[in-house]
Amino acid sequence: MDLFSSETIKNILPFDGVTNYHGIVLDKKQCNFYYQTLLETIKWKNDEAIIFGKKLMTKRKVAWYGESEFSYTYSGVTKTANIFTKELLELKKIVEKESKETYNSCLLNLYHSGEEGMAYHSDEEKMLKKNSAIASLSLGAERKFSFKHKKNKQRIDIVLERGSLLVMKEFTQTNWLHRLPPTKKVFTPRINLTFRTIELQQGV
Ligand SMILES: O=C(O)CCC(=O)C(=O)O
Ligand SMILES: [Mn+2]
């Protein structure tokens, strides 16, 4: 979408990482179409996590998609990825063009309302290519998103608009945590897609 192009791209981190907010990259019609289609066609599942040896389920739903059926371990649970759908490939193309990077997988999160969020973490799983870009595309409800520096605890907040793109790269994951804080002010669902680069083992 050249309409909303590059002069608005901004690094929102003051140091120790690059996280570019590209603003809105999908128009209203695209937002509505992809939000509805993903809601209906993605194989959403409640997330399982092993926490202190116990298997817990999150209210938030998740799904992993990729170029191949790679297996991945996430929060202590090993799963197999689904193959990209037509719409995910279309969105990947838009995000790759806008961010000038490439991706081979996507983690989708569905938050049913503001009550659901994600705690502070960084995306540094072993299967991810070290310091590769992670592109986060948001659909549905607008939500606040926060970064916290791992050492000096400085916080940076941003509102992720409907149809917006945020690209975390370079040393962002090494030096900063991020989270989606729960809120009592949002009552409608949000879908977030994070396009990532998995280091695929040879022969897989
Ligand atoms: O929902 C979001 O905006 C971010 C999700 C996230 O950080 C993740 O899936 O690792
Ligand atoms: Mn994350």
Side-chain angles (χ1 to χ4, degrees):
M1 289 294 303
D2 293 313
L3 204 68
F4 307 101
S5 220
S6 48
E7 66 269 19
T8 52
I9 301 172
K10 190 174 158 240
N11 179 14
I12 62 161
L13 297 180
F15 44 76
D16 285 354
V18 174
T19 291
N20 288 330
Y21 188 61
H22 291 241
I24 293 169
V25 299
L26 299 177
D27 64 28
K28 268 196 178 153
K29 215 175 130 191
Q30 288 174 306
C31 285
N32 290 339
F33 170 75
Y34 287 114
Y35 174 81
Q36 204 52 44
T37 309
L38 295 177
L39 213 52
E40 288 164 14
T41 60
I42 293 299
K43 293 181 180 158
W44 298 107
K45 297 228 165 82
N46 289 96
D47 202 9
E48 296 172 327
I50 310 276
I51 298 180
F52 299 120
K54 279 200 178 140
K55 202 177 195 182
L56 298 178
M57 299 296 262
T58 59
K59 285 193 214 161
R60 157 176 65 85
K61 288 195 171 169
V62 299
W64 270 98
Y65 281 75
E67 281 174 351
S68 63
E69 289 174 326
F70 58 86
S71 59
Y72 58 93
T73 304
Y74 186 72
S75 307
V77 183
T78 300
K79 297 170 212 175
T80 305
N82 301 290
I83 300 288
F84 277 136
T85 62
K86 176 173 171 283
E87 290 78 22
L88 286 177
L89 284 172
E90 287 166 11
L91 289 173
K92 182 166 100 75
K93 201 167 160 191
I94 294 171
V95 165
E96 285 180 339
K97 189 170 173 214
E98 179 67 36
S99 64
K100 301 188 175 71
E101 303 272 356
T102 59
Y103 309 94
N104 63 9
S105 62
C106 182
L107 169 64
L108 293 102
N109 281 288
L110 168 60
Y111 307 88
H112 299 87
S113 74
E115 278 184 18
E116 296 173 18
M118 196 181 284
Y120 271 125
H121 67 280
S122 53
D123 293 304
E124 292 182 286
E125 284 91 3
K126 273 202 203 106
M127 62 181 193
L128 290 176
K129 189 171 165 206
K130 184 102 179 124
N131 298 331
S132 57
I134 297 180
S136 162
L137 186 65
S138 294
L139 294 167
E142 249 181 38
R143 294 282 295 264
K144 192 170 100 174
F145 190 70
S146 305
F147 286 87
K148 185 165 79 174
H149 193 273
K150 289 186 185 176
K151 292 217 173 88
N152 71 16
K153 313 291 175 206
Q154 180 167 343
R155 255 189 57 189
I156 304 289
D157 292 337
I158 184 173
V159 173
L160 297 180
E161 299 163 282
R162 209 160 97 100
S164 71
L165 178 68
L166 181 79
V167 183
M168 299 184 271
K169 45 192 211 174
E170 298 181 22
F171 294 105
T172 299
Q173 308 300 335
T174 311
N175 297 313
W176 296 83
L177 301 169
H178 56 267
R179 75 162 179 159
L180 186 80
T183 169
K184 291 209 159 73
K185 292 183 197 145
V186 175
F187 302 96
T188 52
R190 168 174 182 267
I191 292 176
N192 176 257
L193 300 89
T194 42
F195 289 94
R196 300 159 185 247
T197 304
I198 302 280
E199 223 146 34
L200 295 170
Q201 279 143 19
Q202 275 183 353
V204 175

